[in-house]
Structure formats: C-alpha cells, structure tokens
C-alpha cells in the first residue's frame, strides 16, 4: 500500500471516529470505535442538561490554531520594560531583611511615574495599588519620604497620585485574610475605585494568616483568585518569605500560576556576605535565556534617600 492510500485510510478512520464519539449511559467515556449510533447526540444532550446554569456554554468555544491566529487578542503591555508585563502574576521571594519590600516599592515607583529601575524603563505611568499587611504607617511614611528624595518634581506628583496604599492600620481589626471572600472582595473593590492596573500583596505570610504549608486546598482557591485577577486584566505582584535553606514559605502550590518568580539572596564571596544582593529569575515565561540571567545589585539607604546600583 502506498503512502497516499494509507493517508486516505487514516482520514476515513478519523471521520468515522468523529461520527461515533463518545459516551454510553453517563458512565464515562467508552471505546469511541464501539460507541453505539447516536451516542454523541445523547451525550451532548446529557452534558447540556448537567452544565446548564453552571457553565456558559454559549460563550465557551474551542478554536483551532488558524482561528486563534485570526482573532484580535491584545498583546501584553510592558509596564516596566520586559520585566513587569500586564496580565501577569509575579512573585518576589527572599530571606528576611534582604529588601523584598524595598525592591518592590522601587519597581512600583518606576511603574507609577514612568521612571527607570535597575535595567528597566517604564514607557508610561500606571496606577499601582500596594496592599501592605505588615508595616506600621509610621515606617511606611519614612519609606515614602526617602523615595521622594530621588524623584523630579513631575515624577513626585505622579508618584503621589499613582502609588496607592492599603495598610493594615487603615482597618480597625486589620485587613481580612485574602483566603476569605470578604478579603478578596475588599481588594477587588479598591482596585475598581483606584483604577489601578497593578496590585501588590506584601506579604503572603501577613495577608494569608490562616494558611500553612499543608493547606493546599485553601491555597489553590487563593491562586484561582489571582488567576481570575489576571484574566480581568490586572498585574499581580506577591511578596513571599524564603527560609534560610532557600525554600519559599507556604504551600508547595504557591508558584503554580506565576508567570515570573524572583529570588533575592545575599551575595557571598569567600564565605562572607558582600552587602550586595543576587537577583535570580527562578521562573520566567516571557523572557529569553539571555534576558533572565542572574545579576548583582547594591542597595544604599541614608537620610538623603535610597539608590539601587548594578554591580
């Protein structure tokens, strides 16, 4: 048999399978070749009845690759160069005291002012909602003053308008856990009110106080919420602690939906800490190999302000 005859036979087999698909009496998928005539129509009617009111069947469609290529789908925006993109979930992890929040605020300052941070430039200013579940307002105010020292007059105006904080001290009983529907609804409300494109959750330990490393069911529900925020067009940045052994705190499912995971670690030479920080892309879906190479930076902080310098 020549190859064309074989191909013709294969096509005919596929057509037969398509006509004979898939189920018998609601007992699961059966052998599609042996499925009785009309099985597909029966299964479709049963599925429509079961899913009605639970899944938007009219809005749910599949596309082949040709249809997908023809569909007008907006590309992700570069909110801070190719580092922070729109509609992504990003995590920054590191040991206590390594400057996770400081780095996150500096990146958000650049996003909110159309400024530059380390290797990346924001093309235009975007609003950021920064959820802080840990710092006292007095400490937060000191950090904001230091950031303002480094900004031009125009950038300072943008910073004061576009970087919006929700702090635990704003609520008499503290912020509700983001594992609860109340906590999630509160963030969604503030996102709509502020018109922010980016939401920062600093940090997961303080904002998910009821979760532990074994609480995978609750954590999966939380991650589904983050994914829904991404579907809705938001960019999410989470801050997480790292143990001294290098493991990220919390459930093992935490990194499931991340588009990018950054690990910050102290640079060590000859068994001594240098005072610099290593920036590692533990995971990054949108960067090429050359774009996600580790690098070292130095952070300096005094009364006049704070600076990040590539080493």
């Amino acid at each position: 048999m020549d190859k064309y005859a074989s191909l013709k036979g294969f096509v005919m087999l596929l057509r037969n399978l398509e006509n004979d698909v898939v189920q018998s009496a609601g007992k699961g998928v059966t052998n599609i070749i042996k499925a009785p005539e009309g099985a597909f129509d029966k299964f479709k009617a049963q599925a429509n009845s079961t899913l009605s009111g639970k899944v938007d069947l009219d809005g749910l469609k599949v596309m082949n690759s040709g249809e997908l290529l023809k569909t007008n789908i907006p590309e992700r925006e570069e909110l801070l160069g190719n580092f922070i993109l729109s509609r992504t979930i990003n995590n920054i992890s590191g040991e206590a005291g390594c400057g996770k929040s400081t780095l996150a605020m500096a990146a958000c300052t650049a996003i909110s002012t159309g400024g530059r941070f380390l290797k990346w430039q924001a093309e235009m200013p975007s609003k950021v909602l920064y959820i802080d579940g840990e710092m006292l307002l007095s400490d937060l105010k000191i950090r904001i003053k230091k950031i303002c020292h480094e900004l031009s007059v125009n950038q300072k105006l943008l910073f004061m308008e576009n970087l919006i904080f929700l702090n635990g001290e704003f609520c008499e009983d503290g912020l509700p856990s983001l594992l609860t529907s109340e906590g999630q609804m509160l963030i969604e409300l503030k996102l709509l009110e502020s018109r922010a494109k980016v939401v920062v959750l600093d940090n997961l330990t303080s904002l998910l106080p009821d979760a532990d490393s074994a609480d995978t069911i609750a954590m999966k529900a939380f991650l589904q919420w983050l994914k829904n925020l991404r579907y809705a067009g938001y960019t999410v940045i989470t801050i997480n602690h790292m143990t001294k052994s290098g493991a990220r705190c919390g459930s093992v499912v935490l990194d499931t939906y991340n588009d990018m995971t950054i690990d910050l670690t102290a640079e060590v030479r000859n068994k001594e800490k240098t005072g610099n920080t290593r920036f590692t892309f533990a995971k990054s879906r949108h960067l090429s190999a050359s774009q996600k190479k580790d690098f070292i930076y130095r952070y300096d902080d005094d009364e006049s302000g704070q600076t990040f310098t590539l080493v």
Side-chain angles (χ1 to χ4, degrees):
M1 183 182 295
D2 61 45
K3 62 180 180 180
Y4 298 106
S6 299
L7 179 60
K8 183 178 180 181
F10 181 67
V11 171
M12 290 299 298
L13 175 62
L14 289 180
R15 288 177 178 170
N16 289 335
L17 294 180
E18 184 179 9
N19 292 331
D20 289 339
V21 172
V22 234
Q23 167 138 350
S24 176
K27 296 180 180 178
V29 177
T30 60
N31 186 322
I32 57 177
I33 296 178
K34 297 180 180 179
E37 186 176 354
F40 176 77
D41 291 336
K42 292 178 182 178
F43 173 63
K44 183 176 180 180
Q46 180 185 1
N48 283 335
S49 176
T50 302
L51 296 174
S52 178
K54 300 177 182 178
V55 178
D56 180 11
L57 293 174
D58 293 330
L60 180 64
K61 62 176 292 187
V62 296
M63 292 185 186
N64 61 38
S65 56
E67 291 171 323
L68 188 58
L69 286 172
K70 294 176 183 178
T71 302
N72 184 21
I73 300 174
E75 295 184 1
R76 284 173 165 161
E77 300 174 62
E78 291 191 348
L79 301 178
L80 184 56
N82 58 17
F83 176 40
I84 302 294
L85 302 185
S86 63
R87 295 181 291 126
T88 54
I89 301 173
N90 311 275
N91 176 256
I92 300 172
S93 296
E95 294 181 17
C98 74
K100 300 181 294 296
S101 296
T102 304
L103 180 133
M105 282 191 188
C108 289
T109 297
I111 294 172
S112 66
T113 62
R116 185 171 184 81
F117 173 66
L118 289 174
K119 297 181 173 184
W120 304 286
Q121 174 70 45
E123 294 302 319
M124 60 184 298
S126 301
K127 292 198 173 200
V128 179
L129 178 63
Y130 199 108
I131 315 298
D132 173 34
E134 187 174 53
M135 276 191 288
L136 292 173
L137 281 176
S138 55
D139 295 335
L140 180 58
K141 187 174 180 179
I142 290 171
R143 291 197 180 200
I144 291 174
K145 284 182 177 180
K146 288 182 178 180
I147 291 172
C148 286
H149 279 297
E150 305 299 319
L151 302 178
S152 67
V153 173
N154 185 53
Q155 285 181 320
K156 194 176 296 185
L157 292 173
L158 288 168
F159 171 76
M160 291 179 177
E161 175 71 20
N162 291 339
L163 187 51
I164 304 150
F165 289 92
L166 176 58
N167 181 277
E169 280 196 76
F170 293 164
C171 304
E172 185 174 338
D173 298 322
L175 293 171
S177 170
L178 296 190
L179 291 176
T180 66
S181 58
E182 294 81 8
Q184 294 173 9
M185 189 174 293
L186 172 63
I187 303 307
E188 292 170 11
L189 174 63
K190 295 306 176 184
L191 278 170
L192 290 171
E193 288 179 348
S194 65
R195 299 183 180 274
K197 286 186 175 182
V198 181
V199 58
V200 182
L201 306 179
D202 188 3
N203 55 59
L204 294 182
T205 301
S206 60
L207 297 173
L208 309 176
D210 305 323
D212 57 41
S213 59
D215 202 359
T216 56
I217 295 177
M219 196 61 70
K220 285 180 178 179
F222 169 71
L223 292 174
Q224 182 61 49
W225 177 63
L226 295 188
K227 190 165 71 167
N228 290 342
L229 288 178
R230 181 176 64 182
Y231 285 154
Y234 294 105
T235 295
V236 180
I237 301 174
T238 60
I239 312 297
N240 194 17
H241 287 301
M242 183 184 288
T243 65
K244 291 184 178 180
S245 63
R248 298 179 197 93
C249 293
S251 170
V252 294
V253 304
L254 266 178
D255 289 333
T256 304
Y257 296 141
N258 286 353
D259 296 282
M260 184 170 65
T261 300
I262 302 300
D263 288 340
L264 304 180
T265 53
E267 185 195 29
V268 177
R269 294 180 186 172
N270 300 322
K271 299 183 180 181
E272 295 289 335
K273 291 184 178 180
T274 64
N276 300 332
T277 303
R278 178 174 291 276
F279 187 109
T280 301
F281 291 96
K283 177 182 179 181
S284 181
R285 290 176 172 167
H286 62 276
L287 296 178
S288 66
S290 61
Q291 290 172 331
K292 57 185 179 183
K293 289 182 178 178
D294 293 8
F295 63 86
I296 307 295
Y297 70 87
R298 184 174 189 85
Y299 169 70
D300 293 296
D301 179 8
D302 55 39
E303 293 181 356
S304 64
Q306 54 184 16
T307 56
F308 288 82
T309 307
L310 291 170
V311 177

